Coordinates of all heavy atoms in Angstrom, one line a residue:
M1 N 108.6 120.7 117.6 CA 107.6 119.7 117.4 C 107.5 119.5 115.8 O 107.4 120.5 115.1 CB 106.2 120.1 117.9 CG 105.1 119.1 117.6 SD 103.5 119.6 118.1 CE 103.7 119.8 119.8
N2 N 107.6 118.3 115.4 CA 107.5 118.1 114.0 C 106.1 118.1 113.5 O 105.2 117.8 114.3 CB 108.4 116.9 113.5 CG 107.6 115.6 113.4 OD1 106.5 115.5 113.0 ND2 108.3 114.5 113.7
L3 N 105.9 118.4 112.3 CA 104.5 118.6 111.7 C 103.7 117.3 111.8 O 102.5 117.3 112.1 CB 104.6 119.0 110.3 CG 103.3 119.5 109.6 CD1 102.6 120.6 110.4 CD2 103.5 119.9 108.2
K4 N 104.3 116.1 111.6 CA 103.5 114.9 111.7 C 103.0 114.6 113.1 O 101.8 114.2 113.2 CB 104.4 113.7 111.2 CG 104.7 113.7 109.7 CD 105.5 112.5 109.3 CE 105.7 112.6 107.8 NZ 106.5 111.4 107.4
T5 N 103.8 114.8 114.1 CA 103.3 114.6 115.4 C 102.3 115.7 115.8 O 101.3 115.4 116.5 CB 104.4 114.4 116.5 OG1 105.2 115.6 116.4 CG2 105.2 113.2 116.3
Q6 N 102.5 116.9 115.4 CA 101.6 118.0 115.7 C 100.2 117.6 115.1 O 99.2 117.8 115.8 CB 102.1 119.3 115.1 CG 101.2 120.5 115.4 CD 101.8 121.8 114.9 OE1 102.7 121.8 114.1 NE2 101.2 122.9 115.2
N7 N 100.2 117.1 113.9 CA 98.9 116.8 113.2 C 98.3 115.6 113.9 O 97.0 115.6 114.0 CB 99.2 116.5 111.8 CG 99.4 117.7 111.0 OD1 99.0 118.8 111.4 ND2 100.1 117.6 109.8
F8 N 99.1 114.7 114.4 CA 98.5 113.5 115.2 C 97.7 114.1 116.4 O 96.6 113.7 116.7 CB 99.7 112.6 115.7 CG 99.2 111.6 116.7 CD1 98.9 110.3 116.2 CD2 99.2 111.8 118.0 CE1 98.5 109.3 117.0 CE2 98.8 110.8 118.9 CZ 98.4 109.5 118.4
W9 N 98.3 115.0 117.1 CA 97.7 115.6 118.3 C 96.5 116.5 118.0 O 95.5 116.5 118.7 CB 98.7 116.3 119.2 CG 99.6 115.3 119.8 CD1 101.0 115.2 119.6 CD2 99.3 114.2 120.7 NE1 101.5 114.1 120.3 CE2 100.5 113.5 121.0 CE3 98.1 113.7 121.3 CZ2 100.5 112.4 121.8 CZ3 98.1 112.6 122.1 CH2 99.3 111.9 122.3
I10 N 96.6 117.2 116.8 CA 95.4 118.0 116.4 C 94.3 117.1 116.1 O 93.1 117.3 116.5 CB 95.8 118.8 115.2 CG1 96.8 120.0 115.6 CG2 94.6 119.4 114.5 CD1 97.4 120.7 114.4
R11 N 94.5 116.0 115.3 CA 93.4 115.1 115.0 C 92.9 114.4 116.2 O 91.6 114.3 116.4 CB 94.0 114.0 114.0 CG 94.1 114.5 112.6 CD 94.4 113.4 111.6 NE 95.8 112.9 111.7 CZ 96.9 113.5 111.1 NH1 96.7 114.6 110.4 NH2 98.1 113.0 111.2
T12 N 93.7 114.1 117.2 CA 93.2 113.5 118.4 C 92.3 114.5 119.2 O 91.2 114.1 119.6 CB 94.4 113.1 119.3 OG1 95.2 112.1 118.6 CG2 94.0 112.5 120.7
G13 N 92.8 115.7 119.2 CA 91.9 116.8 119.9 C 90.6 117.0 119.2 O 89.6 117.2 119.8
E14 N 90.6 117.0 117.9 CA 89.4 117.2 117.1 C 88.4 116.1 117.4 O 87.2 116.3 117.5 CB 89.7 117.3 115.6 CG 90.4 118.6 115.2 CD 90.9 118.6 113.8 OE1 91.0 117.6 113.2 OE2 91.3 119.7 113.3
L15 N 88.9 114.9 117.4 CA 88.0 113.7 117.6 C 87.5 113.7 119.1 O 86.3 113.4 119.3 CB 88.8 112.4 117.3 CG 89.0 112.2 115.8 CD1 90.0 111.0 115.6 CD2 87.7 111.9 115.1
L16 N 88.3 114.1 120.0 CA 87.8 114.2 121.4 C 86.7 115.2 121.5 O 85.6 114.9 122.1 CB 89.0 114.6 122.3 CG 89.9 113.6 122.8 CD1 91.1 114.2 123.5 CD2 89.2 112.5 123.6
K17 N 86.9 116.3 120.8 CA 85.9 117.4 120.8 C 84.6 116.9 120.2 O 83.5 117.1 120.7 CB 86.4 118.6 120.1 CG 85.4 119.8 120.2 CD 86.1 121.0 119.5 CE 85.1 122.2 119.6 NZ 85.7 123.4 119.0
K18 N 84.7 116.2 119.0 CA 83.6 115.7 118.3 C 82.8 114.7 119.1 O 81.6 114.7 119.1 CB 84.1 115.0 117.0 CG 83.0 114.5 116.1 CD 83.5 113.9 114.9 CE 82.5 113.2 114.0 NZ 83.0 112.6 112.8
L19 N 83.5 113.9 119.9 CA 82.8 112.9 120.8 C 82.4 113.5 122.1 O 81.7 112.8 122.9 CB 83.8 111.8 121.0 CG 84.2 110.9 119.8 CD1 85.3 110.0 120.2 CD2 82.9 110.1 119.3
G20 N 82.7 114.8 122.4 CA 82.4 115.4 123.6 C 83.1 114.8 124.8 O 82.6 114.7 125.9
K21 N 84.3 114.3 124.5 CA 85.2 113.7 125.6 C 86.4 114.6 125.9 O 86.7 115.5 125.1 CB 85.7 112.4 125.1 CG 84.7 111.4 124.7 CD 84.0 110.8 125.8 CE 83.0 109.7 125.4 NZ 82.3 109.1 126.5
T22 N 87.0 114.4 127.0 CA 88.1 115.2 127.4 C 89.4 114.3 127.4 O 89.3 113.1 127.3 CB 88.0 115.7 128.9 OG1 88.0 114.6 129.8 CG2 86.7 116.5 129.0
Q23 N 90.5 115.0 127.4 CA 91.8 114.3 127.5 C 91.8 113.4 128.8 O 92.3 112.3 128.7 CB 93.0 115.3 127.6 CG 93.3 116.1 126.4 CD 94.4 117.0 126.5 OE1 95.0 117.2 127.6 NE2 94.8 117.7 125.4
L24 N 91.3 113.9 129.9 CA 91.4 113.1 131.1 C 90.5 111.9 131.0 O 90.9 110.8 131.4 CB 90.9 114.0 132.3 CG 91.0 113.4 133.7 CD1 92.5 113.0 133.9 CD2 90.5 114.3 134.7
E25 N 89.4 112.0 130.3 CA 88.5 110.8 130.1 C 89.3 109.8 129.2 O 89.2 108.6 129.5 CB 87.2 111.2 129.5 CG 86.3 111.9 130.4 CD 85.1 112.5 129.7 OE1 85.2 113.1 128.6 OE2 84.0 112.4 130.3
L26 N 89.9 110.2 128.2 CA 90.7 109.3 127.3 C 91.8 108.7 128.1 O 92.0 107.5 128.1 CB 91.3 110.1 126.2 CG 92.1 109.3 125.2 CD1 92.0 109.9 123.8 CD2 93.6 109.3 125.5
C27 N 92.5 109.5 128.9 CA 93.6 108.9 129.7 C 93.1 107.9 130.7 O 93.7 106.8 130.9 CB 94.3 110.0 130.5 SG 95.3 111.1 129.4
N28 N 92.0 108.2 131.4 CA 91.4 107.2 132.3 C 91.0 105.9 131.6 O 91.3 104.8 132.1 CB 90.3 107.8 133.1 CG 90.7 108.9 134.1 OD1 91.8 108.9 134.5 ND2 89.8 109.7 134.4
H29 N 90.4 106.0 130.5 CA 89.9 104.9 129.8 C 91.1 104.0 129.3 O 91.1 102.8 129.3 CB 89.1 105.3 128.6 CG 88.5 104.1 127.8 ND1 87.4 103.4 128.2 CD2 89.0 103.5 126.7 CE1 87.2 102.4 127.3 NE2 88.2 102.5 126.4
C30 N 92.2 104.7 128.8 CA 93.3 104.0 128.2 C 94.4 103.7 129.2 O 95.5 103.2 128.8 CB 93.9 104.8 127.0 SG 92.7 105.0 125.7
D31 N 94.2 104.0 130.5 CA 95.2 103.8 131.5 C 96.5 104.5 131.2 O 97.6 103.9 131.3 CB 95.4 102.3 131.8 CG 96.0 102.0 133.1 OD1 95.8 102.8 134.1 OD2 96.8 101.0 133.2
I32 N 96.4 105.8 130.9 CA 97.5 106.6 130.6 C 97.5 107.7 131.7 O 96.5 108.4 132.0 CB 97.4 107.3 129.2 CG1 97.3 106.3 128.1 CG2 98.6 108.3 129.0 CD1 96.9 106.8 126.8
N33 N 98.7 108.0 132.3 CA 98.9 109.1 133.2 C 98.7 110.4 132.4 O 99.3 110.6 131.4 CB 100.3 109.0 133.8 CG 100.5 110.1 134.8 OD1 100.7 111.3 134.4 ND2 100.5 109.8 136.1
H34 N 97.8 111.3 133.0 CA 97.5 112.5 132.3 C 98.7 113.4 132.1 O 98.9 114.0 131.0 CB 96.4 113.3 133.0 CG 95.8 114.4 132.2 ND1 96.0 115.7 132.6 CD2 95.2 114.4 131.0 CE1 95.4 116.5 131.6 NE2 94.9 115.7 130.7
Q35 N 99.6 113.4 133.0 CA 100.9 114.2 132.9 C 101.7 113.6 131.7 O 102.3 114.4 131.0 CB 101.6 114.2 134.2 CG 101.0 115.1 135.2 CD 100.8 116.5 134.8 OE1 99.7 116.9 134.5 NE2 101.9 117.2 134.7
T36 N 101.7 112.3 131.6 CA 102.5 111.7 130.5 C 101.9 112.1 129.2 O 102.6 112.4 128.2 CB 102.4 110.1 130.7 OG1 103.1 109.8 131.9 CG2 103.2 109.4 129.5
Y37 N 100.5 112.0 129.1 CA 99.8 112.4 127.9 C 100.2 113.8 127.5 O 100.5 114.1 126.4 CB 98.3 112.2 128.1 CG 97.4 112.5 127.0 CD1 97.1 111.5 126.1 CD2 96.9 113.8 126.7 CE1 96.3 111.8 125.0 CE2 96.1 114.1 125.7 CZ 95.7 113.0 124.8 OH 94.9 113.3 123.7
R38 N 100.1 114.7 128.5 CA 100.4 116.1 128.2 C 101.8 116.3 127.8 O 102.1 117.1 126.9 CB 100.1 117.0 129.4 CG 98.7 117.1 129.8 CD 97.8 117.9 128.9 NE 98.4 119.2 128.6 CZ 98.3 119.9 127.5 NH1 97.7 119.3 126.4 NH2 98.9 121.0 127.3
G39 N 102.7 115.5 128.4 CA 104.1 115.6 128.0 C 104.3 115.2 126.5 O 105.2 115.8 125.8
W40 N 103.6 114.2 126.1 CA 103.7 113.8 124.7 C 103.4 114.9 123.8 O 104.0 115.2 122.8 CB 102.8 112.6 124.3 CG 103.2 111.3 125.0 CD1 104.5 110.9 125.3 CD2 102.3 110.2 125.4 NE1 104.4 109.6 125.9 CE2 103.1 109.2 125.9 CE3 100.9 110.0 125.3 CZ2 102.5 108.0 126.4 CZ3 100.4 108.9 125.7 CH2 101.2 107.9 126.3
I41 N 102.3 115.6 124.1 CA 101.8 116.7 123.3 C 102.9 117.9 123.3 O 103.3 118.4 122.3 CB 100.5 117.2 123.8 CG1 99.4 116.2 123.6 CG2 100.1 118.5 123.1 CD1 98.1 116.5 124.2
V42 N 103.3 118.2 124.5 CA 104.3 119.3 124.6 C 105.6 119.0 123.9 O 106.2 119.9 123.3 CB 104.5 119.7 126.1 CG1 105.7 120.6 126.3 CG2 103.2 120.2 126.8
R43 N 106.1 117.8 124.1 CA 107.3 117.4 123.5 C 107.2 117.1 122.0 O 108.2 117.0 121.2 CB 108.0 116.2 124.2 CG 108.5 116.6 125.5 CD 109.3 115.4 126.1 NE 108.6 114.1 126.1 CZ 107.7 113.8 127.1 NH1 107.4 114.6 128.1 NH2 107.1 112.6 127.0
G44 N 105.9 116.9 121.5 CA 105.7 116.6 120.1 C 106.1 115.2 119.8 O 106.7 114.9 118.8
T45 N 105.9 114.2 120.7 CA 106.2 112.9 120.5 C 105.0 112.0 120.4 O 103.9 112.4 120.9 CB 107.1 112.3 121.6 OG1 106.5 112.5 122.9 CG2 108.5 113.1 121.6
Y46 N 105.1 110.8 119.8 CA 104.1 109.9 119.7 C 104.1 109.0 121.0 O 105.2 108.7 121.5 CB 104.2 108.9 118.5 CG 104.0 109.5 117.2 CD1 105.1 109.7 116.3 CD2 102.7 109.9 116.8 CE1 104.9 110.2 115.1 CE2 102.5 110.4 115.5 CZ 103.6 110.6 114.7 OH 103.4 111.1 113.4
P47 N 102.9 108.5 121.4 CA 102.9 107.5 122.4 C 103.5 106.2 121.8 O 103.7 106.1 120.6 CB 101.5 107.3 122.8 CG 100.7 108.3 122.0 CD 101.6 108.9 121.0
D48 N 103.7 105.2 122.7 CA 104.1 103.9 122.1 C 103.0 103.3 121.3 O 101.9 103.7 121.4 CB 104.7 102.9 123.1 CG 103.6 102.5 124.1 OD1 102.5 102.0 123.7 OD2 103.9 102.5 125.3
A49 N 103.3 102.3 120.4 CA 102.4 101.7 119.5 C 101.1 101.2 120.2 O 100.0 101.5 119.7 CB 103.0 100.6 118.7
L50 N 101.2 100.5 121.3 CA 100.1 100.0 122.0 C 99.1 101.1 122.4 O 97.9 101.0 122.3 CB 100.5 99.2 123.2 CG 99.4 98.5 123.9 CD1 98.5 97.6 123.0 CD2 99.9 97.7 125.1
Q51 N 99.7 102.2 122.9 CA 98.9 103.4 123.4 C 98.2 104.0 122.2 O 97.1 104.5 122.3 CB 99.7 104.4 124.1 CG 100.3 103.8 125.5 CD 99.1 103.5 126.4 OE1 98.0 103.7 126.2 NE2 99.5 103.0 127.6
V52 N 98.9 104.1 121.0 CA 98.3 104.7 119.8 C 97.1 103.8 119.4 O 96.0 104.4 119.1 CB 99.3 104.8 118.7 CG1 98.6 105.2 117.4 CG2 100.4 105.8 119.0
V53 N 97.2 102.5 119.5 CA 96.1 101.6 119.2 C 94.9 101.9 120.2 O 93.8 102.0 119.7 CB 96.5 100.1 119.2 CG1 95.3 99.2 119.2 CG2 97.5 99.9 118.1
N54 N 95.2 102.0 121.4 CA 94.2 102.2 122.5 C 93.5 103.5 122.3 O 92.3 103.6 122.4 CB 94.8 102.1 123.9 CG 95.1 100.7 124.2 OD1 94.6 99.7 123.7 ND2 96.1 100.5 125.2
I55 N 94.3 104.6 121.9 CA 93.7 105.9 121.7 C 92.8 105.8 120.5 O 91.7 106.4 120.5 CB 94.8 106.9 121.5 CG1 95.5 107.2 122.9 CG2 94.3 108.2 121.0 CD1 96.8 108.0 122.8
A56 N 93.2 105.2 119.4 CA 92.4 105.1 118.2 C 91.1 104.4 118.5 O 90.0 104.8 118.0 CB 93.2 104.4 117.1
K57 N 91.2 103.3 119.2 CA 89.9 102.5 119.6 C 89.0 103.4 120.4 O 87.8 103.4 120.1 CB 90.3 101.3 120.4 CG 90.9 100.2 119.5 CD 91.2 98.9 120.4 CE 91.8 97.8 119.5 NZ 92.1 96.7 120.4
Y58 N 89.5 104.1 121.4 CA 88.7 105.0 122.2 C 88.0 106.1 121.3 O 86.9 106.4 121.6 CB 89.5 105.6 123.3 CG 88.7 106.5 124.2 CD1 87.9 106.0 125.2 CD2 88.8 107.9 124.1 CE1 87.1 106.8 126.0 CE2 88.0 108.7 124.9 CZ 87.2 108.1 125.9 OH 86.5 109.0 126.7
L59 N 88.7 106.6 120.3 CA 88.2 107.6 119.5 C 87.4 107.1 118.3 O 87.0 107.9 117.4 CB 89.3 108.5 119.0 CG 90.1 109.3 120.1 CD1 91.3 109.9 119.5 CD2 89.2 110.2 120.8
N60 N 87.2 105.8 118.2 CA 86.4 105.2 117.1 C 87.0 105.5 115.8 O 86.3 105.9 114.8 CB 85.0 105.5 117.2 CG 84.3 105.1 118.4 OD1 84.5 104.0 118.9 ND2 83.5 105.9 119.0
T61 N 88.3 105.4 115.7 CA 89.0 105.7 114.4 C 90.1 104.7 114.2 O 90.3 103.8 115.0 CB 89.5 107.1 114.4 OG1 89.9 107.5 113.0 CG2 90.7 107.4 115.3
S62 N 90.9 104.8 113.2 CA 92.0 103.9 112.9 C 93.3 104.6 113.3 O 93.4 105.8 113.3 CB 92.0 103.6 111.4 OG 92.3 104.7 110.6
V63 N 94.3 103.8 113.5 CA 95.7 104.3 113.8 C 96.1 105.0 112.5 O 96.7 106.1 112.6 CB 96.6 103.1 114.1 CG1 98.1 103.6 114.1 CG2 96.2 102.5 115.4
E64 N 95.8 104.5 111.4 CA 96.2 105.1 110.1 C 95.7 106.6 110.1 O 96.4 107.5 109.7 CB 95.6 104.3 108.9 CG 95.9 104.9 107.6 CD 95.2 104.1 106.4 OE1 94.4 103.2 106.7 OE2 95.5 104.5 105.3
Y65 N 94.4 106.8 110.5 CA 93.9 108.2 110.4 C 94.7 109.1 111.4 O 95.1 110.2 111.1 CB 92.4 108.2 110.7 CG 91.9 109.7 110.8 CD1 91.9 110.4 109.6 CD2 91.6 110.3 112.0 CE1 91.5 111.8 109.6 CE2 91.2 111.6 112.0 CZ 91.2 112.3 110.9 OH 90.8 113.7 110.9
L66 N 94.9 108.6 112.6 CA 95.6 109.4 113.6 C 97.0 109.8 113.1 O 97.4 110.9 113.3 CB 95.6 108.7 115.0 CG 94.3 108.6 115.7 CD1 94.5 107.9 117.0 CD2 93.7 110.0 116.0
V67 N 97.7 108.8 112.6 CA 99.1 109.0 112.2 C 99.2 109.8 110.9 O 100.1 110.7 110.8 CB 99.8 107.7 112.2 CG1 101.3 107.9 111.6 CG2 99.9 107.1 113.5
T68 N 98.4 109.4 109.9 CA 98.6 110.0 108.5 C 97.5 111.1 108.1 O 97.8 111.8 107.2 CB 98.6 108.9 107.5 OG1 97.3 108.4 107.4 CG2 99.6 107.9 107.7
G69 N 96.4 111.0 108.8 CA 95.3 111.9 108.4 C 94.5 111.3 107.2 O 93.5 111.9 106.8
E70 N 94.9 110.1 106.7 CA 94.2 109.5 105.7 C 93.1 108.5 106.3 O 93.5 107.7 107.1 CB 95.1 108.7 104.7 CG 96.1 109.7 104.0 CD 97.0 108.9 103.1 OE1 96.8 107.8 102.8 OE2 98.0 109.6 102.7
K71 N 91.9 108.6 105.8 CA 90.9 107.7 106.3 C 90.9 106.4 105.6 O 91.0 106.3 104.4 CB 89.5 108.4 106.1 CG 89.4 109.6 106.9 CD 88.0 110.1 107.0 CE 88.1 111.4 107.9 NZ 86.8 111.7 108.3
S72 N 90.9 105.4 106.4 CA 90.8 104.0 105.9 C 89.4 103.7 105.4 O 88.4 104.5 105.7 CB 91.2 103.0 106.9 OG 90.3 102.9 108.0
E73 N 89.2 102.6 104.7 CA 87.9 102.2 104.3 C 87.0 102.0 105.5 O 85.8 102.3 105.5 CB 88.0 100.9 103.5 CG 86.8 100.6 102.7 CD 87.0 99.4 101.8 OE1 88.0 99.4 101.0 OE2 86.2 98.5 101.9
Q74 N 87.6 101.5 106.6 CA 86.8 101.2 107.8 C 86.3 102.6 108.4 O 85.2 102.7 108.8 CB 87.7 100.5 108.8 CG 87.1 100.3 110.1 CD 88.0 99.6 111.1 OE1 89.2 99.4 110.8 NE2 87.5 99.4 112.3
D75 N 87.2 103.6 108.4 CA 86.8 104.9 108.9 C 85.6 105.5 108.1 O 84.6 106.0 108.7 CB 87.9 105.9 108.9 CG 88.9 105.7 110.0 OD1 88.5 105.2 111.0 OD2 90.1 106.1 109.8
T76 N 85.7 105.4 106.8 CA 84.7 105.9 105.9 C 83.4 105.2 106.2 O 82.3 105.8 106.3 CB 85.1 105.8 104.4 OG1 86.3 106.4 104.3 CG2 84.1 106.3 103.5
R77 N 83.4 103.9 106.3 CA 82.2 103.1 106.5 C 81.6 103.4 107.9 O 80.4 103.6 108.0 CB 82.5 101.6 106.4 CG 81.3 100.7 106.6 CD 80.3 100.9 105.4 NE 79.1 100.2 105.7 CZ 77.9 100.6 105.5 NH1 77.6 101.8 105.0 NH2 76.8 99.8 105.8
L78 N 82.4 103.6 108.9 CA 82.0 103.9 110.2 C 81.3 105.3 110.2 O 80.2 105.4 110.9 CB 83.2 103.9 111.2 CG 82.8 104.2 112.7 CD1 81.9 103.2 113.3 CD2 84.1 104.3 113.5
Q79 N 81.8 106.2 109.5 CA 81.2 107.6 109.5 C 79.8 107.5 108.8 O 78.9 108.1 109.2 CB 82.1 108.6 108.8 CG 83.2 109.0 109.6 CD 84.1 110.1 108.9 OE1 84.1 110.1 107.7 NE2 84.7 110.9 109.7
Q80 N 79.8 106.7 107.7 CA 78.5 106.5 107.0 C 77.4 105.9 108.0 O 76.3 106.3 108.0 CB 78.7 105.6 105.8 CG 79.4 106.3 104.7 CD 79.8 105.3 103.6 OE1 79.8 104.0 103.8 NE2 80.2 105.8 102.4
L81 N 77.8 104.9 108.7 CA 76.9 104.2 109.7 C 76.5 105.2 110.8 O 75.3 105.3 111.1 CB 77.6 103.0 110.3 CG 77.7 101.8 109.4 CD1 78.5 100.7 110.0 CD2 76.4 101.3 108.9
Q82 N 77.4 106.0 111.3 CA 77.1 107.0 112.3 C 76.1 108.0 111.8 O 75.2 108.4 112.5 CB 78.3 107.7 112.8 CG 79.2 106.7 113.7 CD 80.5 107.3 114.1 OE1 81.1 108.2 113.3 NE2 81.1 106.9 115.2
A83 N 76.3 108.5 110.5 CA 75.3 109.4 109.9 C 74.0 108.8 109.7 O 72.9 109.5 110.0 CB 75.9 109.9 108.5
E84 N 73.9 107.5 109.4 CA 72.6 106.9 109.2 C 71.9 106.7 110.6 O 70.7 106.9 110.7 CB 72.8 105.5 108.6 CG 73.2 105.5 107.1 CD 72.1 106.2 106.3 OE1 70.9 106.0 106.4 OE2 72.5 107.0 105.4
I85 N 72.7 106.4 111.6 CA 72.1 106.3 113.0 C 71.5 107.6 113.4 O 70.5 107.7 114.0 CB 73.2 105.7 113.9 CG1 73.4 104.3 113.6 CG2 72.7 105.9 115.4 CD1 74.6 103.7 114.4
E86 N 72.3 108.7 113.1 CA 71.8 110.0 113.5 C 70.5 110.4 112.8 O 69.6 110.9 113.4 CB 72.9 111.1 113.2 CG 72.6 112.4 113.8 CD 73.7 113.4 113.7 OE1 74.9 113.0 113.7 OE2 73.4 114.6 113.5
K87 N 70.5 110.1 111.5 CA 69.2 110.3 110.7 C 68.0 109.6 111.3 O 66.9 110.1 111.5 CB 69.4 109.9 109.3 CG 70.3 110.8 108.4 CD 70.4 110.3 107.0 CE 71.4 111.0 106.2 NZ 71.6 110.4 104.9
L88 N 68.3 108.3 111.6 CA 67.2 107.5 112.2 C 66.8 108.0 113.6 O 65.6 108.1 113.9 CB 67.6 106.0 112.3 CG 67.8 105.3 111.0 CD1 68.4 103.9 111.3 CD2 66.4 105.1 110.4
S89 N 67.7 108.5 114.3 CA 67.4 109.0 115.7 C 66.6 110.3 115.5 O 65.6 110.5 116.2 CB 68.7 109.3 116.4 OG 68.5 110.0 117.6
N90 N 67.0 111.2 114.6 CA 66.2 112.4 114.4 C 64.8 112.1 113.8 O 63.9 112.8 114.2 CB 67.0 113.3 113.4 CG 68.2 113.9 114.0 OD1 68.3 114.0 115.3 ND2 69.2 114.3 113.2
F91 N 64.7 111.1 112.9 CA 63.5 110.7 112.4 C 62.5 110.2 113.5 O 61.3 110.6 113.5 CB 63.6 109.6 111.3 CG 62.3 109.1 110.7 CD1 61.6 109.9 109.8 CD2 61.8 107.9 111.1 CE1 60.4 109.5 109.3 CE2 60.6 107.4 110.5 CZ 59.9 108.2 109.7
S92 N 63.0 109.4 114.4 CA 62.2 108.8 115.4 C 61.7 109.9 116.4 O 60.6 109.8 117.0 CB 62.9 107.7 116.2 OG 64.0 108.3 117.0
K93 N 62.4 111.0 116.5 CA 62.0 112.1 117.4 C 60.8 112.9 116.7 O 60.0 113.5 117.4 CB 63.1 113.1 117.6 CG 64.2 112.5 118.4 CD 65.4 113.5 118.6 CE 66.6 112.9 119.3 NZ 67.7 113.7 119.4
T94 N 60.6 112.8 115.4 CA 59.5 113.5 114.8 C 58.2 112.7 114.8 O 57.2 113.2 114.4 CB 59.9 113.8 113.3 OG1 60.1 112.6 112.6 CG2 61.1 114.7 113.2
L95 N 58.3 111.4 115.2 CA 57.1 110.6 115.2 C 56.3 110.8 116.4 O 56.6 111.2 117.4 CB 57.5 109.1 115.2 CG 58.2 108.6 113.9 CD1 58.6 107.2 114.0 CD2 57.3 108.8 112.7

């Protein structure tokens, strides 16, 4: 397995964990056969471009982040908004 594809799958797994989702849930949502998904990981290959886009959308991230590990401006802004929502949610619980 080459390092780039290994990192793609590591980032995918980390985001699934962060979202509290499973590989199977991702597969069902993106209409990917779970055995195919596991095969990509084991063989260290990327899915086709359309599947990468669908996976990124499901994980609320960019294709750029999944493939390179570099956060786009959109990713950074999304994380900021999510942090603000969490703060507001926690604040409302204290009222």
Side-chain angles (χ1 to χ4, degrees):
M1 176 183 303
N2 93 35
L3 188 57
K4 288 182 181 183
T5 55
Q6 182 179 10
N7 288 336
F8 173 91
W9 293 115
I10 289 170
R11 285 188 285 276
T12 300
E14 289 171 346
L15 289 169
L16 281 171
K17 185 175 180 179
K18 180 179 176 181
L19 293 170
K21 303 287 185 180
T22 66
Q23 289 180 359
L24 188 56
E25 289 170 317
L26 180 146
C27 289
N28 288 337
H29 181 83
C30 296
D31 197 29
I32 300 169
N33 178 288
H34 192 244
Q35 288 302 107
T36 300
Y37 183 90
R38 293 290 309 143
W40 292 331
I41 295 170
V42 170
R43 288 188 309 277
T45 58
Y46 290 111
D48 66 48
L50 182 58
Q51 294 297 358
V52 173
V53 169
N54 290 335
I55 290 168
K57 285 181 181 178
Y58 181 76
L59 297 173
N60 297 318
T61 194
S62 66
V63 170
E64 178 182 8
Y65 175 71
L66 288 179
V67 174
T68 68
E70 295 178 16
K71 295 192 178 198
S72 68
E73 194 173 308
Q74 178 185 0
D75 282 334
T76 303
R77 183 66 184 137
L78 180 61
Q79 284 183 334
Q80 290 170 342
L81 289 171
Q82 288 171 334
E84 290 299 317
I85 290 169
E86 189 172 328
K87 285 179 191 176
L88 290 171
S89 176
N90 290 336
F91 178 74
S92 68
K93 290 177 185 176
T94 63
L95 295 178

